[in-house]
Structures are given as structure tokens and as C-alpha cells.
Amino acid sequence: MKGILYVVTGPSGVGKSTIIREVLKRFDNLVFSVSYTTRPKRPGEENGTDYFFVDQRTFMKLKDRGEFLEWAQVHGYYYGTSKSQVEGALRQGNHVLLDVDVQGAIKIMELYPDAVFIFIAPPTFSDLKNRLMLRQTESEKSLQRRLEDARWELSQAYKFEYLIVNRELTSSIKGLESIVVAEQLKISRMREFLGQITP
Ligand code: ADP
Ligand code: 5GP
């Protein structure tokens, strides 16, 4: 079976990183694609684990060299997915999980129609606001910007295949975990195996 690309998206503060972090621990053959960003590093984040933190000049150089599978300007900074990282991991037979913004996910729908597209939504808009505030990572300006962007992002959810409403964290983790497993069991991804059963 070929490696599967899982694309997780949703508004900032909805809980994507928290859910993804837990799901990654549950699968040996599921790898996270570490993106490049020009956003400043938050306390506790590590270069090479959360993101590759680069300046704008380096980002543009990588973009011009065609290193990104997709890239986008999100909430005022640049973010890009490494093409070699994703393709390398898939080639080695791993499944790959991406955490990208909604524009990025929509671009990937055209590039990788076989990928699995998952949208994470908050129970209510005020839950989203509270989570972003409680995370204490954003200035007032950045928080307002992320909430404004969330309106358009939420309007795009109907384009996705799966919707996880992140109420209870444990249910959301189970939801994403179930999607990861179910997609691997699809007949359409198992044809090669089926052909090999009968001697
Ligand atoms: P994102 O990666 O989507 O920007 P995070 O994973 O950083 O979001 O989560 C934003 C904040 O919400 C964090 O402080 C996180 O601990 C919290 N959080 C995540 N899931 C839940 C949940 N189900 N209920 C309450 N708080 C949550
Ligand atoms: P944050 O700054 O909160 O880490 O991320 C902001 C937004 O950028 C999130 O919606 C996240 O999914 C998105 N993002 C992270 N990496 C990438 C990427 O490589 N490409 C795109 N398009 N978005 C990304």
C-alpha cells in the first residue's frame, strides 16, 4: 500500500496541534511534515520540531527554488510545506500528516486528490476566541486578525471530507485516530494487496 497524505486544517486556536501531537504518538508509520515559517518562534517551540523558523529572504529563496509543495501567507506571515520531506516520507512507505491553513489545504486538493482532507471546527465561535486567549501566545492585534480570518476559514469547511468538532479533546483525538485507520482499510487503497492473496 502506498503512503497516505492526511491534511488537517481549521482556524487558528481550534486545537489542531494539540490533537495532532497525541495522534502522532499512536502510530509508528505516521510522520508529521515540519513546515517552514517566517513567524517568530513561541516560547516552548523548537526549530525543526514545530517548524523550521526562517527569515523572509530564506523563505523566498526556498520558494523560488521550488522547494515548497504549497505555500501561503497566513495571518501576516509566510508558511510552506517542504516537498522533499513529504515525498521522501511517502516514498519510504510512511503515511504523512500535514497541519496547514485552509488556503493551503484547498491547493493540495488539486495537487494530491488522493489525500485525506480533515477540517477541525470549534463548538462555537466564542470557544475559539477563548482558546486563543487562554493559549496566551498572541498579541491583541494578532488575536483579532486570527479571529477575523477564522470567519472565512469556517465558511470553507463544506469542501472537506471529514469534520471533527473539537469539544472534548479525547473524542477529537479518537476521531482523528479513527480516520487515520479507516482510510488505510479502504478497498481503493488495497487493490495491490488483494491481487496478491490468491497464489
Ligand atoms: P491550533 O494548533 O489549531 O492553533 P492549539 O492546538 O494550539 O490550536 O490549541 C489552542 C488552545 O486550545 C491550546 O491552549 C489548547 O490547549 C486548547 N485546546 C485544544 N483542544 C481543546 C479542547 N477540546 N477543549 C479546550 N481547550 C482545547
Ligand atoms: P501558527 O502560527 O498558529 O502555528 O499557524 C498558523 C496557521 O498556519 C495554521 O492554520 C497552520 O495550519 C498554518 N500552517 C502551518 N504550516 C503551514 C504550511 O506549511 N502551509 C500552509 N499553507 N499553512 C500552514
Side-chain angles (χ1 to χ4, degrees):
M1 188 178 59
K2 278 197 309 194
I4 301 173
L5 183 61
Y6 297 93
V7 182
V8 176
T9 196
S12 176
V14 75
K16 299 182 295 297
S17 319
T18 310
I19 297 168
I20 289 171
R21 202 176 307 126
E22 289 306 314
V23 169
L24 287 170
K25 290 181 193 162
R26 293 162 160 79
F27 298 94
D28 288 338
N29 59 348
L30 180 64
V31 299
F32 181 66
S33 164
V34 181
S35 293
Y36 286 81
T37 185
T38 59
R39 154 167 94 56
K41 189 152 58 134
R42 292 177 189 142
E45 284 185 327
E46 272 183 49
N47 189 41
T49 304
D50 299 286
Y51 285 105
F52 292 107
F53 295 94
V54 293
D55 58 24
Q56 195 157 319
R57 211 167 135 248
T58 309
F59 189 96
M60 288 305 161
K61 238 192 257 171
L62 292 166
K63 172 179 92 62
D64 293 341
R65 287 210 309 249
E67 304 267 354
F68 295 136
L69 186 151
E70 64 73 41
W71 66 276
Q73 198 171 11
V74 192
H75 320 309
Y77 294 104
Y78 289 102
Y79 295 80
T81 306
S82 159
K83 194 192 281 181
S84 58
Q85 229 186 100
V86 171
E87 291 181 349
L90 289 173
R91 216 178 303 119
Q92 284 166 19
N94 287 305
H95 304 300
V96 178
L97 201 148
L98 302 183
D99 174 345
V100 294
D101 89 303
V102 176
Q103 316 163 65
I106 293 172
K107 283 183 207 159
I108 300 170
M109 287 177 187
E110 290 182 11
L111 296 169
Y112 291 83
D114 283 350
V116 183
F117 296 91
I118 303 140
F119 195 98
I120 309 204
T124 66
F125 205 82
S126 64
D127 284 311
L128 184 66
K129 188 175 174 188
N130 285 341
R131 284 180 197 173
L132 262 178
M133 280 182 348
L134 288 170
R135 193 170 72 183
Q136 294 188 316
T137 53
E138 308 308 314
S139 63
E140 183 56 30
K141 196 168 153 225
S142 167
L143 194 134
Q144 290 310 329
R145 169 112 198 224
R146 283 167 187 255
L147 288 174
E148 272 165 36
D149 291 344
R151 291 180 191 280
W152 176 80
E153 290 167 337
L154 288 165
S155 78
Q156 301 300 299
Y158 73 95
K159 294 185 178 165
F160 290 75
E161 294 176 272
Y162 291 100
L163 179 71
I164 296 174
V165 181
N166 184 20
R167 289 190 182 88
E168 277 294 318
L169 185 57
T170 45
S171 310
S172 303
I173 293 166
K174 209 177 225 175
L176 183 57
E177 197 182 340
S178 308
I179 295 167
V180 168
V181 173
E183 283 290 330
Q184 292 174 25
L185 304 179
K186 275 191 166 165
I187 290 281
S188 57
R189 300 189 195 275
M190 302 274 258
R191 298 215 194 283
E192 210 174 299
F193 169 78
L194 279 176
Q196 291 165 0
I197 297 177
T198 315

